[in-house]
Amino acid sequence: MFISDINILNKEEIVTEMRNADIEKRNYFEFKHKLASGEIRNVEVYSGPIELENHHLLYSIIHDTTAKKIAEVKLEQAKEEADLANRAKSEFLANMSHEIRTPMNAVIGFSDILASEITDKKQKGHLNSIQTAGKSLLTLINDILDLSKIEAGKLDIQYEPINPQIIFTELQQIFSLKMAEKHLEFVVSTDENLPNALYLDETRLRQILLNLIGNSVKFTDSGSIHLCATKEAYTTHDCIDLILAVEDTGIGIQADQQKLIFESFKQQDGQSTRKYGGTGLGLAITKRLVEMMNGQITGISIPGEGSRFEITLRKVKIADTVPNLKIKHVFEANNITFEKARILVVDDVDSNRNLIVEYLTPVNLEVICAENGQKALLFAKEYQPNLILMDLKMPEMDGYEVTKRLKEDPNTSDIPVIALTASIMFHDDNDIKLHHFDGYLFKPVIISLLFKQLSKYLKYSENIKVDDEPCLEEKFSWDNVTNILVLQNIIIQEVIPLLEEANMGIEQETIDKLATKLNVLGKEHNVSIFIDYSKLLQEYIQMFDIINMLELLKKLSEELELLRMKTK
Ligand code: ADP
């Protein structure tokens, strides 16, 4: 019997295979063998030379791998099916998000408008419930979308130099009210050698810490919450391991649940949904984000005593330059007026169009509406609007097609087109340019972001200066000030100590006092800029906008110092 009697290859083919194996220095083959019954089986063959009674022979050990092969093929098929199902899930989520976000646009937008119109207490209460429910529904959708974006590999981590201390201070401020309400103590301790400029993704780091501290506050009824930041150095000196821990004295987590809670939609067994609410997605998102930032998260807990969640971000690069405090600017509906301009709103849904009309008419903009693509093309040509807001998903001709045609037509090609999108599939700047849009806005449209987009293309005026310039550009003018010596005394004795205290701790109470003091002094001594500062400070407190608040306090210190020098 020869090899070729059982191998399905012919003699020449077998010799070629063996030669190849010899060249590749391999003693291993995958063949198909015939059984006596004629059945073909997959086999693995290990062969080598052997000397037997002065004969050069070849030994072979043969394994039947048919079952293994069938299992491998099945596994591959199952993987393909799972990938297909996963893609279908992502598409479903994207579509669902669109379907839910579009009506939410109207629910949230119109309840915000109603809130400023109604005065009846009972009605205000009802409206409040709609607003709260609307916002929590949007949070849920956003959580689901975040997770599906991460799973679909559509979420990028964007590293830039940031000062982590600023985020810690911000968090302190954000949670100070909530913690005070629950009589909880919030302690933030940071390693004094922690570099003040690290390459991190600020938004994602904030999201992670908001989730962890938010949970701690939710699940702790008494005691304290501790945010601790430390580092481990590398010998190369240009990076560190950043260790962030959030520790609480709350209800804790049962031992058998401590791993489970990192999975999507998992909460502790028997936990009261009524009392704690939540979606069970926060930790799942947090874990993925941490892993994307080259880190890991662990949770340890003793039921009844408290929990500790610890994140280690590995090899975080140290930046050379300390990042500047960014001046964020918030456009306020009542703070901005556009020069007369015409906007074309293209959307097939009535309520969406009406909402934008409500937003834009009070700020001096004329709005024309088109409910489909054909009308949009016609109106754009005829009325020559200064800007077009374009819904993407419309029957017959969608927003992509309309925009393409507008940009192809020399009569309308210069008109900026802002896409209105409710879908996560359309979130990339390049993608936007590729489809000829000049910008995009997510639905539900947030009024300040809408104005910010419009302000790029339309002329406008507002009380506050925009972008990276300091918020208050006006110089102090002491010309109309009454009783400057008295004012100077008050400033030295009362305002400056308050200012120093405010600069040190950013305590809400101190800032409140400072704002009130400035307002009173401004009115008494005719210093209008004091009144402006007072208003701004109060606005920033409400928006937890610590960065702008710090900048404002700094500017105020400088101006007061100048005044002191002047009156010496
Ligand atoms: P959610 O808070 O929306 O329920 P998370 O994924 O953030 O979702 O948390 C999942 C679950 O883990 C919580 O419902 C809770 O059971 C448990 N958990 C998380 N953090 C804490 C904590 N600090 N103390 C006690 N339990 C916690």
Side-chain angles (χ1 to χ4, degrees), residues 430-445:
N430 287 331
D431 206 16
I432 297 292
K433 287 198 190 96
L434 213 72
H435 290 99
H436 317 287
F437 293 107
D438 297 273
Y440 67 100
L441 282 165
F442 278 120
K443 286 181 179 177
V445 173

Side-chain angles (χ1 to χ4, degrees), residues 329-340 359-365 447-467 539:
H329 186 73
V330 178
F331 283 84
E332 287 273 340
N334 50 9
N335 226 352
I336 186 162
T337 310
F338 290 97
E339 276 183 20
K340 214 160 185 41
Y359 282 158
L360 298 187
T361 349
V363 287
N364 208 20
L365 296 173
I447 194 163
S448 57
L449 297 181
L450 170 66
F451 285 1
K452 195 161 189 164
Q453 274 288 352
L454 295 185
S455 72
K456 290 185 190 161
Y457 304 98
L458 307 178
K459 289 196 179 136
Y460 64 94
S461 61
E462 58 162 346
N463 303 335
I464 308 170
K465 290 276 172 195
V466 198
D467 279 335
E539 255 175 44

Side-chain angles (χ1 to χ4, degrees), residues 215-216 218-219 248 251-253 261 266-268 271 277-284 307 309:
N215 276 346
S216 284
K218 187 160 79 169
F219 295 108
D248 63 53
I251 60 169
I253 304 156
I261 52 168
K266 284 278 173 11
Q267 300 184 318
Q268 281 202 66
Q271 178 173 302
T279 57
L281 285 172
L283 284 179
S307 314
F309 287 86

Side-chain angles (χ1 to χ4, degrees), residues 84-102 139-154 264-265 281 285 288 393 421-426:
L84 214 69
N86 207 18
R87 269 203 298 281
K89 184 193 77 179
S90 295
E91 265 168 40
F92 167 75
L93 279 174
N95 284 336
M96 185 193 75
S97 90
H98 186 275
E99 298 309 327
I100 298 179
R101 272 165 170 263
T102 304
T139 311
L140 174 63
I141 297 169
N142 288 341
D143 274 356
I144 294 177
L145 291 182
D146 256 2
L147 205 61
S148 66
K149 258 199 259 178
I150 294 173
E151 280 184 358
K154 278 181 177 286
S264 306
F265 297 109
L281 285 172
I285 295 172
R288 309 277 173 98
K393 219 174 165 186
T421 167
S423 154
I424 54 158
M425 293 307 177
F426 193 63

Side-chain angles (χ1 to χ4, degrees), residues 522-554:
K523 283 185 181 148
E524 272 178 10
H525 295 271
N526 231 349
V527 199
S528 63
I529 198 97
F530 274 9
I531 301 172
D532 292 345
Y533 267 99
S534 162
K535 265 196 214 140
L536 268 179
L537 271 180
Q538 259 150 1
E539 255 175 44
Y540 293 154
I541 297 174
Q542 271 165 22
M543 293 189 295
F544 305 114
D545 191 344
I546 297 156
I547 295 174
N548 265 334
M549 196 146 75
L550 283 171
E551 191 65 21
L552 196 70
L553 291 176
K554 198 171 122 222

